[in-house]
Amino acid sequence: MSTNGTDNGKETGTFSVKAGLAQMLKGGVIMDVVTDEQAKIAEDAGACSVMALERVPADIRADGGVARMSDPAMIEAIMRAVTIPVMAKVRIGHFVEAKILEAIGIDYIDESEVLTPADEEHHVWKHDFKVPFVCGCRDLGEALRRIGEGAAMIRTKGEAGTGDVVEAVRHMRTVMKQIRRVQLMGDDELTAYAKEIGASLDLLRETKRLGRLPVVNFAAGGVATPADAALMMHLGADGVFVGSGIFKSGDPSERGKAIVKAVTHYDDPEAIAEASKGLGEPMVGISARSLAPGQELATRGW
Amino acid sequence: MTATATVGVLALQGDFQEHCVALRGLGASAVEVRRTDELDAVDALIIPGGESTSMAKLMDAYGMRAPLQAFPRSGRPLWGTCAGLILMASRLEEDRPEPLGLMDATVRRNGFGRQIDSFETELAIAGIPGNPVHAVFIRAPLIVETGPGVEVLAALADGTPVVVRQENLLASAFHPELTGDARMHRYFLDMLPVGAVP
C-alpha cells in the first residue's frame, strides 16, 4: 500500500521529500518542548525543529508508569505557535498513534524508545505513511533495519533523560566504526556482514558506496552542554537532539542559543568557549552507569 | 578576481554540504562560509536550504547580516535555495525571520503547506538546456509577488513562480542540491565573469 499522492504533476509523500526534510535540519538542534511557550523560546534560540511532548525524558524517567503519545491538542498548540517543523513521538510499533499524528499534520514522527513500547516484536512499517519518521539506533544493523522499514532519518539513541553523554558517544562511535569497516569489505564479506548485523544487503552496499548512512543521522540521548553537542558533531552527527538538557537547565533560552552556536561552530573551540560562558546550572544528571537493569531506555526496540 | 573563482556556501545550518558536492562535481572550488572573513574571500555565494529562522539567528549572532547585504552590491553572484530564497527576499508575509531585503519579491514561508504537502515535480527552467529539471520542494516558500526588475525563469503549471533572477541575484524555491542534477549549479557558475570558473 502506498499513500503517496499525485496532483497536477506534483507527487507528495515520496521518500525523497521525507528524507529531504531531514537534509534541511542538518547542522541544527532539535529541542524537546512541553508547552507552546517553550516552543517559542526554542524557536527564538535558533532550534531548527522542536519535539512536542508532554513530559521530557528526565520526567518520564522520574515519574515511571506508561509513557504514551502526547495529547493531540497540546501538539497542535505547539504547531500553531512556531513556524519551524514540529515533531512528536509515538510508542515503538504503535501505528495508530502514528496515524493520529499524520492526521493532525505533524511534520516528523519519532518512533521512540523514550515512550513505553507498544510492540516488543515489530516496529511501525513506515513506508505506509506520507509523513516522515525518525528512529533510534545503537549500531549500524539497527539503523539499517529502521531505514528498511521506511525511516527517513536516524538518530543514535544515547540514554535519554540522563544528561550523561556517554551512551550517545558509544552509539555514534559504534555506527561510525562499522561504516568504516564496511568500506573495506569485498562483496563476499558484505553478504556475511549483512547476516551478522541483521541488515539488508542492498542497504549495506549503499552505505559502503556512500561512506555514510543513506539518510541523515542526528545524535540524541544525554546531550546537556554546548561541548557535548560539538563532541557529537565531531564524531559524525549531522545535527543534535537535545531533550531534557535545555528546559531542565537554569536558563533554557541562553543554553539553547549556546548549543545552537556550538553545533554550527563545532570545529572552532574559541566560538564554543565563548558560547559556553555563564550559562548557569546545567540539568542535574544521572550517570548512565548507575541505572539499574530495566531502567535503560536504549535497549527498547531492536 | 583570481583565475579560478571560489564559490562560498553559507554553512550556518542546512544542507550546505550538498551544494559543495554539486559545485566540486563541476570542477569549481567550493568552501563553507561561517564567518565574515570567510565571506570576504569568496567570489560568489550560495545560501542553502535549511531553517531560515535558525540561519537568521546565527547570522545576527556573528555579525554577518550587513556583510551579506553588501555582498551582491560588489557584483558578486548570490543564489538562495528555499531558506536562502526566504532570507534574500525584500518582504515576508510573516513577522519572522527578518530577511536580508535583497530580491524585490514578497515571500510566504511554508506557502505550499506543511511537510505532508511537500512534493516533487518536473520543471522547465529558462536558460537550462535539455530535459525538464526534476525539482524537490520541501516546506517550500511561495513567491507571492515580484517587482519589475525580477525575471521569472520557471513557474509551476498554475503559474506560480519558483525560480527568479534579478541581475546577479538568483533564487529558487526548490532544492537543486538534492537531486544530483547540477545544471542549476552550472547556470549559477556561468553568472561569474567568463573564465572565472572551469
Side-chain angles (χ1 to χ4, degrees):
Chain A
M1 186 186 90
S2 167
T3 53
N4 299 351
T6 303
D7 167 41
N8 201 10
K10 290 183 188 173
E11 268 194 286
T12 55
T14 61
F15 194 76
S16 292
V17 301
K18 293 191 216 174
L21 177 53
Q23 295 283 346
M24 299 311 132
L25 303 175
K26 285 196 303 189
V29 181
I30 302 170
M31 304 183 190
D32 277 6
V33 296
V34 301
T35 63
D36 51 347
E37 274 310 306
Q38 287 189 355
K40 285 180 196 161
I41 292 169
E43 182 176 56
D44 202 47
C48 65
S49 176
V50 288
M51 177 76 68
L53 70 177
E54 276 167 354
R55 292 176 291 171
V56 295
D59 289 335
I60 290 174
R61 211 174 256 297
D63 295 352
V66 176
R68 311 179 181 88
M69 181 191 79
S70 300
D71 181 345
M74 168 265 176
I75 297 169
E76 283 177 327
I78 287 171
M79 288 164 64
R80 283 192 297 272
V82 295
T83 58
I84 54 179
V86 178
M87 303 186 170
K89 293 182 191 290
V90 300
R91 287 179 266 179
I92 289 172
H94 207 316
F95 55 86
V96 174
E97 285 186 347
K99 283 287 175 196
I100 291 169
L101 291 183
E102 185 175 55
I104 66 170
I106 199 81
D107 295 305
Y108 239 95
I109 296 175
D110 182 8
E111 187 183 18
S112 177
E113 69 283 0
V114 167
L115 305 184
T116 311
D119 191 327
E120 295 188 331
E121 212 172 327
H122 312 95
H123 286 252
V124 174
W125 182 252
K126 294 165 274 281
H127 288 295
D128 278 354
F129 289 78
K130 228 169 138 169
V131 56
F133 279 73
V134 55
C135 290
C137 79
R138 287 161 293 173
D139 54 39
L140 181 60
E142 195 172 10
L144 296 182
R145 285 192 292 279
R146 296 293 85 77
I147 296 168
E149 293 160 353
M153 177 177 179
I154 290 293
R155 55 173 175 77
T156 46
K157 285 178 171 171
E159 193 54 44
T162 59
D164 184 351
V165 81
V166 67
E167 294 301 309
V169 167
R170 187 190 320 281
H171 299 156
M172 188 59 73
R173 281 215 182 257
T174 301
V175 170
M176 292 301 167
K177 190 190 306 174
Q178 289 174 307
I179 291 172
R180 281 191 287 273
R181 282 181 62 191
V182 160
Q183 285 176 275
L184 300 172
M185 288 183 187
D187 287 339
D188 47 357
E189 293 170 306
L190 274 183
T191 307
Y193 195 56
K195 176 171 182 264
E196 183 188 323
I197 65 173
S200 129
L201 178 59
D202 283 348
L203 286 174
L204 198 60
R205 292 171 71 105
E206 179 71 356
T207 303
K208 178 186 171 181
R209 187 181 69 79
L210 297 168
R212 57 159 293 138
L213 283 182
V215 300
V216 165
N217 181 26
F218 271 47
V223 174
T225 67
D228 289 348
L231 174 66
M232 298 316 299
M233 295 298 288
H234 274 285
L235 293 176
D238 292 317
V240 175
F241 281 88
V242 187
S244 319
I246 290 175
F247 287 96
K248 283 287 169 189
S249 73
D251 188 342
S253 174
E254 288 307 308
R255 185 162 294 263
K257 285 177 191 164
I259 292 177
V260 167
K261 287 177 180 170
V263 167
T264 294
H265 295 284
Y266 71 92
D267 204 16
D268 182 344
E270 284 173 25
I272 304 169
E274 199 54 44
S276 300
K277 289 177 185 169
L279 296 180
E281 285 298 305
M283 71 177 280
V284 177
I286 313 165
S287 162
R289 273 195 178 275
S290 71
L291 296 175
Q295 287 187 321
E296 304 105 330
L297 302 176
T299 54
R300 294 169 168 183
W302 52 276
Chain B
M1 178 85 53
T2 51
T4 303
T6 300
V7 181
V9 183
L10 193 67
L12 298 174
Q13 191 270 327
D15 68 339
F16 48 86
Q17 284 162 344
E18 281 61 31
H19 276 294
C20 290
V21 168
L23 291 166
R24 287 170 192 147
L26 294 171
S29 164
V31 295
E32 295 175 5
V33 170
R34 291 182 177 80
R35 291 185 168 281
T36 51
D37 55 328
E38 294 168 334
L39 182 64
D40 292 341
V42 299
D43 303 294
L45 183 76
I46 297 175
I47 305 180
E51 278 308 313
S52 54
T53 51
S54 303
M55 285 188 216
K57 295 288 173 197
L58 286 157
M59 206 180 268
D60 288 330
Y62 290 94
M64 294 194 78
R65 177 172 291 269
L68 281 166
Q69 287 169 324
F71 187 87
R73 273 184 234 137
S74 58
R76 292 180 285 183
L78 174 64
W79 175 22
T81 61
C82 193
L85 159 64
I86 294 169
L87 291 169
M88 283 169 70
S90 293
R91 297 166 297 279
L92 292 186
E93 288 195 345
E94 295 76 23
D95 59 353
R96 59 190 190 268
E98 190 188 341
L100 294 170
L102 298 169
M103 172 83 73
D104 187 9
T106 305
V107 170
R108 182 186 306 154
R109 292 180 60 208
N110 304 324
F112 295 91
R114 300 194 72 94
Q115 169 61 15
I116 48 173
D117 305 302
S118 291
F119 63 96
E120 302 179 56
T121 194
E122 304 296 317
L123 206 58
I125 303 173
I128 306 279
N131 295 327
V133 170
H134 186 72
V136 180
F137 291 79
I138 296 162
R139 286 169 46 90
L142 185 69
I143 302 169
V144 292
E145 184 203 27
T146 54
V150 177
E151 184 187 359
V152 177
L153 301 184
L156 297 178
D158 64 3
T160 306
V162 289
V163 182
V164 290
R165 181 169 175 181
Q166 177 186 324
E167 296 175 346
N168 57 332
L169 305 174
L170 179 68
S172 51
F174 70 102
H175 295 280
E177 72 276 18
L178 289 185
T179 43
D181 177 348
R183 285 178 292 167
M184 276 291 289
H185 289 83
R186 179 75 261 166
Y187 179 95
F188 179 62
L189 291 179
D190 290 342
M191 287 167 64
L192 280 158
V194 175
V197 283

